[in-house]
Amino acid sequence: MNLNALSLFVAVIQHGSLSKTAEKLGVPIATISRQIAELEKHLQIQLFDRQKSGVKPTMAGQKLYDEVHLSIDNLLNAKQVLFDDEQNLKGILRISAPPKCEPVLAWVSEFQQKFPNVQIHATMTERIFDLSADSIDVAFRIGELHGEHFIAKKVATLGTKWVAHPELLTRFGTPSTLKELKNFPIATWAKNGESEVVIQMNKEKIALPFLFASNDASAVEYMVLQGQAIGQISDLTANEWIKDKRVVEILPELAKPNYELFMLYASQRYPSAIVRVFVEFVLGKIQAT
């Protein structure tokens, strides 16, 4: 049985009409009428006599009300208690995310506006954590990850652009093909020990030696902004710098790969209230977009 329809049924009897119920609950009359009709169809009984002055429960409707209204009221009260508990959420949430990961920072900012008593400590790094050993409640990482001890949820797709400082292009010229990047100094993300990076645009791949590499995206961005090298940086940063004419986009006609951002949290059966509410908040934000 639809509990939402049942609670609307109880509310209609308590308020005496569909219009008053709609006004009190902020639910359209058409929605209330449809839910009541579906409840009647499910139960195969008529619950209301429709009158000009409003609605009056039938004998069957009155009997159903007598049986369920206290339980429905208790459920609504319990829901309000849980809501109040969430509003009073208090404690510390420890998260980790890649440096300058603006989507995560935007979620954190909005979350703290809603729950001002929650303190958040953010470790901004791309290093892979052991969530338990490093005391991290929720981590955000680029690339799909799997493990027995954590849950991974995709929360965003991040785009990139290849850009260069105008002065660098004055010195070296502007590349017109992917292969011509071999003639330019490259700044890129790479792991320690790697000596080249594999670049893919459209269906073409090329391995390039680099001038500068780091496991920190902000270090790559610094070298690009200093005119030291061409680099691949996030759309969020690139769009801002291009607009300000600090950099120029390179090879804009070629499709660049996107990178998926995942939210990771421990797979324990009963997470803390703060972790649960934060995870639900982020998932709600991405479902709304």
Side-chain angles (χ1 to χ4, degrees):
M1 189 179 298
N2 188 327
L3 289 177
N4 187 51
L6 202 58
S7 66
L8 289 175
F9 160 75
V10 169
V12 169
I13 291 183
Q14 292 175 341
H15 296 304
S17 72
L18 270 68
S19 59
K20 287 183 180 178
T21 302
E23 181 182 351
K24 291 285 187 180
L25 300 183
V27 178
I29 291 179
T31 299
I32 298 174
S33 180
R34 184 182 71 253
Q35 293 270 25
I36 296 298
E38 290 177 357
L39 183 61
E40 289 179 324
K41 182 178 179 180
H42 175 76
L43 296 173
Q44 297 184 337
I45 56 174
Q46 182 177 340
L47 297 173
F48 290 103
D49 289 323
R50 277 70 174 176
Q51 303 171 347
K52 290 184 178 180
S53 57
V55 292
K56 182 178 179 180
T58 62
M59 289 183 63
Q62 185 63 50
K63 185 175 181 180
L64 178 62
Y65 174 80
D66 292 341
E67 290 292 331
V68 305
H69 79 277
L70 290 178
S71 297
I72 293 295
D73 287 344
N74 287 337
L75 284 173
L76 293 175
N77 287 336
K79 181 179 179 181
Q80 186 60 47
V81 168
L82 292 174
F83 177 80
D84 289 342
D85 285 345
E86 287 196 353
Q87 292 303 301
N88 295 322
L89 206 61
K90 186 175 183 179
I92 298 177
L93 177 67
R94 299 171 180 85
I95 70 168
S96 176
K100 299 183 68 174
C101 192
E102 294 187 19
V104 173
L105 295 177
W107 293 328
V108 167
S109 176
E110 190 171 345
F111 180 80
Q112 286 198 297
Q113 291 177 42
K114 188 174 182 180
F115 303 102
N117 293 324
V118 175
Q119 292 178 294
I120 292 183
H121 184 278
T123 301
M124 309 303 284
T125 178
E126 297 183 10
R127 182 170 70 85
I128 300 299
F129 276 117
D130 179 319
L131 296 179
S132 176
D134 292 289
S135 299
I136 297 296
D137 298 309
V138 181
F140 295 86
R141 288 294 180 269
I142 293 173
E144 190 169 0
L145 302 171
H146 300 282
E148 296 181 358
H149 304 298
F150 63 82
I151 297 170
K153 297 282 188 180
K154 178 185 172 183
V155 292
T157 300
L158 306 178
T160 61
K161 283 184 170 66
W162 278 86
V163 296
H165 194 283
E167 291 184 2
L168 183 141
L169 298 180
T170 299
R171 299 198 311 269
F172 289 90
T174 301
S176 57
T177 67
L178 185 58
K179 290 181 179 179
E180 289 182 10
L181 286 179
K182 287 188 174 182
N183 303 321
F184 291 79
I186 301 294
T188 184
W189 188 97
K191 296 179 181 178
N192 189 22
E194 294 178 333
S195 60
E196 61 183 17
V197 61
V198 176
I199 304 301
Q200 179 174 352
M201 296 193 213
N202 290 358
K203 296 182 180 180
E204 188 179 359
K205 285 185 179 180
I206 187 171
L208 297 175
F210 50 75
L211 173 71
F212 175 85
S214 175
N215 66 338
D216 185 348
S218 60
V220 175
E221 293 172 359
Y222 178 84
M223 299 301 289
V224 171
L225 202 56
Q226 294 300 309
Q228 295 290 97
I230 289 176
Q232 184 183 24
I233 66 176
S234 74
D235 270 346
L236 295 170
T237 300
N239 291 339
E240 179 184 343
W241 288 1
I242 292 169
K243 181 180 178 181
D244 294 340
K245 298 182 179 179
R246 302 168 75 183
V247 297
V248 176
E249 184 176 3
I250 303 303
L251 304 173
E253 70 281 359
L254 297 183
K256 287 80 174 173
N258 292 323
Y259 299 92
E260 295 180 334
L261 180 69
F262 285 81
M263 175 170 62
L264 314 175
Y265 52 96
S267 57
Q268 58 194 30
R269 187 174 180 182
Y270 299 109
S272 71
I274 294 177
V275 171
R276 176 181 57 81
V277 172
F278 180 74
V279 167
E280 291 175 355
F281 174 83
V282 172
L283 294 178
K285 296 300 296 183
I286 64 174
Q287 290 170 3
T289 57

